Amino acid sequence: MRAVFGIWSQMRDVERTTSTTDHHPPGQSRRNPLQTLYNGDQDSDLSYAHVALRGRRELLEEACLSQTRKRRVLSPDDLRHLIVDDKHSLIYCYVPKVACTNWKRVLMVLTGDGRYSDPLAIPAHEAHVAGTAHALRILHRRDQPAAALLPQVRVRAGPLRAAGLRYRNKFTRSYNTAFHKRYGTKIIRRHRPGARPEALEAGDDVSFREFVQYLVDPRTQRDEPLNEHWERVHSLCHPCFIHYDVVGKYETLEPDSQAVLGLAGVEGDVRFPTSGKSTRTDGEMAARFFQNISPFLQRKLFNMYRMDFLLFNYSMPRYLRTH
């Protein structure tokens, strides 16, 4: 089974029931696009996007070998971010706020009954409602793949840039009242001495510094699991324990997405929605957020996301000050 952005993967034949579409004449071996990508073909025979995808997976495998000492059995809760498209043998590990809405829309088009042909015609809230796309399901322990593709980025938007994106989305937008009530009030209570009663009640004016303090506070992870929006990608998708075929990157979202659809053989059925938004804008926003964060807190935040930096080959941002 193949998987993509966030991270995508292909389940090996031993892990799945072979469908009629998998059959081929006796004596002939069918070579799928992923075999072409990873089984020793020369880079000169591959597109730039495919070379980049192969390089990322190789770097991830090397990082896992050097950073992971123990194997462990994944629990059902570990797999809650893996979505299965049985129709196209795809597994997708989604990372919140990293194009996951559009990827869920694309999968709903591919697995649907023809109700939608344009991913953007699917309301964003509908893409996140459990059970809306009946053909999609959450992976269960018994289905654990030998391989899986990581969803395009949001595996990867640099970890600290992603922290800025998530703060902006969850704490500066007036409509996110549920987040303000559940997390904003707690953050203000812990990290704002002398807070006004109305701030403690509404939780709708959390500063970025207070958000960072909350993330690196040992009590945050001791009290309850991290919210998926600021959890580390390696803890959501477990790339050192699940073999992903493709790791997508936020900075090259559109070409990576089209390459994944091509590898899945569905590039003629659906197109990943394009966006005029520049990732440079997000980087500039993150730099502004970190201007007023002390080197001490920046260093603690970097250490929190250190494994994501190592596994997904991100360099330390220029705006980060850890000394």
Side-chain angles (χ1 to χ4, degrees), residues 89-132:
S89 295
L90 292 173
I91 298 174
Y92 164 58
C93 180
Y94 69 91
V95 182
K97 306 312 302 173
V98 186
C100 71
T101 299
N102 279 341
W103 262 110
K104 288 180 180 179
R105 286 165 161 162
V106 167
L107 291 173
M108 288 173 69
V109 170
L110 289 174
T111 60
D113 55 7
R115 178 183 173 192
Y116 292 113
S117 59
D118 177 6
L120 291 179
I122 302 174
H125 71 273
E126 189 173 325
H128 296 292
V129 175
T132 296

Side-chain angles (χ1 to χ4, degrees), residues 21-263:
T21 57
D22 291 321
H23 293 168
H24 47 271
Q28 293 184 19
S29 77
R30 189 175 63 104
R31 203 155 191 248
N32 67 34
L34 283 173
Q35 289 173 318
T36 300
L37 180 60
Y38 291 120
N39 290 358
D41 292 67
Q42 297 298 315
D43 285 354
S44 59
D45 298 327
L46 302 172
S47 70
Y48 175 82
H50 288 167
V51 171
L53 293 179
R54 182 158 76 178
R56 285 177 207 154
R57 196 183 78 162
E58 290 171 351
L59 287 170
L60 175 60
E61 290 175 343
E62 291 172 2
C64 284
L65 285 173
S66 65
Q67 299 297 324
T68 306
R69 295 290 180 262
K70 295 181 179 179
R71 304 291 294 178
R72 71 181 182 87
V73 176
L74 298 179
S75 69
D77 194 52
D78 289 325
L79 306 177
R80 68 188 184 279
H81 276 250
L82 273 66
I83 296 176
V84 179
D85 167 7
D86 287 304
K87 183 177 180 180
H88 301 94
S89 295
L90 292 173
I91 298 174
Y92 164 58
C93 180
Y94 69 91
V95 182
K97 306 312 302 173
V98 186
C100 71
T101 299
N102 279 341
W103 262 110
K104 288 180 180 179
R105 286 165 161 162
V106 167
L107 291 173
M108 288 173 69
V109 170
L110 289 174
T111 60
D113 55 7
R115 178 183 173 192
Y116 292 113
S117 59
D118 177 6
L120 291 179
I122 302 174
H125 71 273
E126 189 173 325
H128 296 292
V129 175
T132 296
H134 66 276
L136 297 176
R137 60 185 174 85
I138 301 297
L139 190 70
H140 297 294
R141 176 66 186 85
R142 61 183 173 79
D143 301 314
Q144 183 175 330
L149 285 170
L150 282 167
Q152 171 192 350
V153 134
R154 266 174 177 169
V155 129
R156 305 180 40 167
L160 300 189
R161 176 187 296 183
L165 289 171
R166 289 155 190 171
Y167 163 76
R168 181 182 64 180
N169 181 266
K170 297 304 178 185
F171 294 106
T172 69
R173 306 287 169 81
S174 60
Y175 56 78
N176 272 324
T177 54
F179 261 82
H180 300 161
K181 285 286 187 180
R182 179 169 181 181
Y183 295 102
T185 55
K186 181 186 297 185
I187 292 171
I188 292 171
R189 186 167 61 251
R190 285 186 177 176
H191 302 290
R192 188 184 300 177
R196 294 176 292 105
E198 52 268 34
L200 291 169
E201 172 66 23
D204 59 357
D205 64 345
V206 172
S207 70
F208 185 64
R209 180 181 57 80
E210 292 168 338
F211 176 59
V212 172
Q213 287 178 305
Y214 167 76
L215 291 180
V216 302
D217 187 337
R219 292 174 294 179
T220 299
Q221 294 186 61
R222 187 170 63 234
D223 291 351
E224 61 181 344
L226 284 178
N227 181 277
E228 64 177 2
H229 290 86
W230 40 85
E231 178 61 277
R232 284 68 57 97
V233 171
H234 74 273
S235 294
L236 296 177
C237 297
H238 309 284
C240 292
F241 301 102
I242 298 174
H243 180 83
Y244 288 98
D245 295 309
V246 173
V247 176
K249 187 174 181 182
Y250 184 63
E251 291 79 356
T252 53
L253 174 64
E254 291 174 15
D256 285 358
S257 297
Q258 295 309 319
V260 166
L261 293 174
L263 291 171

